[in-house]
Amino acid sequence: MKNFKKIITYLTVCSLVLLSILSFSTVKSKALGSGEEKDKLWFSNFEKVVSIPVSEKGIEYVSDMTGTGGPDAFDVKGDKVYVVDNAHHRLLIYNRISGEYIEEVKLPESIIWVSDISVDEKGNLYLLGGSYNGNCLVTITSGKIRISSLPDTQQRGSCITISGFGSDENGPYVVYADLKETRTLKFGNGTDKTNNLDAGKPKSATVVEEKKGSLARDKAIWKLNIQGMKRLGGQVITPDGEVVTVAFPSQYQLGTNGYMGTIGNIVYWKLEDGKSYAIVGYDKKTGEIERAIKIPLDVYSVIPEKGFLIEGNDVYVLIPSQENVYVLKVAYWQSADEFIKELEGNHDNFKNSSGGNLNEHAKSPATIDGDIKITSSVVTVPRSQMISTAQSYQWHQWYCSKVNYDGSNLSASNRQYWQRPRFITNYNTNYYQVPYCWGGFSSLSGFDNEIQQGYAAGNVNTNVPGYIGGTTGVDCSGFVSRCWGLSRHYHTSEFPNIARKLNSYYELQLVVYESTISIVNGTYTDRVISMGYTFNELVSNGYQPYSPYQNLKLIIVFLEENS
């Protein structure tokens, strides 16, 4: 596989917040040092529960065009610790007290990736997985395995993401979020049933209850106070009906923040500022910060989907580092004064190093009739047109004939280099979304004409030098070139020459349209599709922020192979 170059260019839309339902504990306070001493001390604030070597016999990381992944989730229940090992397609189970290995549970072959895990009080395992048929729910109990498909997150006209997952005594639940609302769907546990793991698309999971808001591990309902792109604070409604409202420090208002849980009179939130995670405990009565602890992002080799939780009276974290994958328990906390003083010092240092106030980098661009003025000599279309073009590619409907499906009109020399996109599963069928085509630069009208002429629909074989004649669709850079209204197919390496690199991730607003052939959160995306990305996914996977305009701060992400 070739090395994949990742660029973030700025286009569009659907500002989703990917959240995780997280949780946490209590202990004595311990002051942190400063500078290098503080970096060395962060680990001493935790007690080691499990340590798994990064090796062929332990846990390994997997790299592809979407970045590096592996142990994406964990859970702690009773005296056991469960860690997802995606590289070896299994779950690893350890003793919580001794840290010793107990056993492994092999995952079904049809499951490509597991992004979350939840274990109920009876020891039933629930996995949020991904297959070529989309997101699915895997239930494992007493040797029985059941796979159920989950509601489609790519519904026409909407931009939906799974933002939470868990279980209780009645079975698993999944939290869905879009631009308008967040809702929790609860599913029957299905622990008394099995199904054919080698069959096609599994049956849909049965929804037994739907609630507004995000359901947490402790059965609380929570939400964020969002204004524009900032998460100013959050609100929790506890199971007994008590409402707790908190405010986030300004440095943590752009991260993928989430409620974790409550222990005694302390309500815990996971916050993020692009350089570190902070577990912050708020007083339940006053809403003021009572304690905190920080974990620098540079200790992670992989940012897990589920990296924090509360079990009993303890806070646990999953940290996949370079040499070991750790499950740690918080042992010491910063006081509120220490945490706030440190934040104020960091904020002052940032202002001094950037040569001005943060607000100077976030001035609104000039507008004409609500649109952004164009200042680039290459990109001449307004933002609204870019968004419209991207949406049109995503929701374009087309009819797939047999020759479009099987590529039978391709010449013998070209057909050996052709590979059909996986989402195209049959012919004489209507599809939405323009397929990925290596080297492709089709306009929508051109795509329709070529489909009618019998061209092969898409081509996901990226191990060939370039475009294969007789195929139609767009690749990543071809899609961006069309959305930007460029006169030709600009390749990935050319975009930095015509776009402005931004100084910081904080200048952008998240979420994207993309044309790519990758597995993202378990879903094979070999077409133009909208996807949600966390701030941390952008940082940890090395994306670089670019804008085609002097001031535009909206994006389209694409992942490309030297095209």
Side-chain angles (χ1 to χ4, degrees), residues 275 345-356 358 361 504:
K275 297 180 180 179
N346 290 341
H347 185 62
D348 290 340
N349 291 337
F350 178 82
K351 287 193 293 183
N352 293 335
S353 65
S354 61
L358 266 173
H361 298 282
S504 168

Side-chain angles (χ1 to χ4, degrees), residues 539-558:
V539 174
S540 64
N541 287 322
Y543 294 117
Q544 297 298 315
Y546 285 82
S547 169
Y549 301 138
Q550 185 65 30
N551 292 309
L552 184 59
K553 301 177 180 66
L554 295 175
I555 69 173
I556 177 168
V557 172
F558 68 93

Side-chain angles (χ1 to χ4, degrees), residues 187-219:
F187 301 92
N189 57 40
T191 56
D192 59 337
K193 301 176 181 179
T194 60
N195 60 3
N196 182 1
L197 303 183
D198 296 323
K201 186 170 183 179
K203 293 182 178 179
S204 298
T206 302
V207 178
V208 298
E209 185 180 359
E210 180 173 342
K211 289 186 175 183
K212 288 186 177 181
S214 296
L215 182 65
R217 186 182 176 98
D218 61 359
K219 298 186 178 181

Side-chain angles (χ1 to χ4, degrees), residues 98-112:
S98 67
E100 294 181 353
Y101 170 80
I102 299 176
E103 63 178 331
E104 70 174 41
V105 177
K106 285 291 187 181
L107 300 178
E109 289 299 323
S110 59
I111 303 302
I112 303 168

Side-chain angles (χ1 to χ4, degrees), residues 175-186:
V175 181
Y176 291 87
D178 60 19
L179 295 178
K180 297 180 180 179
E181 65 176 355
T182 301
R183 56 197 174 96
T184 299
L185 301 185
K186 302 188 75 172

Side-chain angles (χ1 to χ4, degrees), residues 364-395:
S364 299
T367 62
I368 300 177
D369 296 330
D371 219 334
I372 293 181
K373 287 183 178 180
I374 308 304
T375 59
S376 167
S377 60
V378 177
V379 179
T380 59
V381 300
R383 180 185 64 176
S384 58
Q385 184 175 329
M386 291 184 180
I387 294 172
S388 176
T389 300
Q391 291 173 331
S392 296
Y393 270 82
Q394 181 181 13
W395 299 119

Side-chain angles (χ1 to χ4, degrees), residues 14 154 158-159 394-395 433 511-514 528-532:
C14 288
Q154 297 299 332
S158 62
C159 201
Q394 181 181 13
W395 299 119
Q433 302 162 335
V511 183
V512 304
Y513 284 92
E514 65 177 358
V528 174
I529 199 168
S530 62
M531 301 294 294

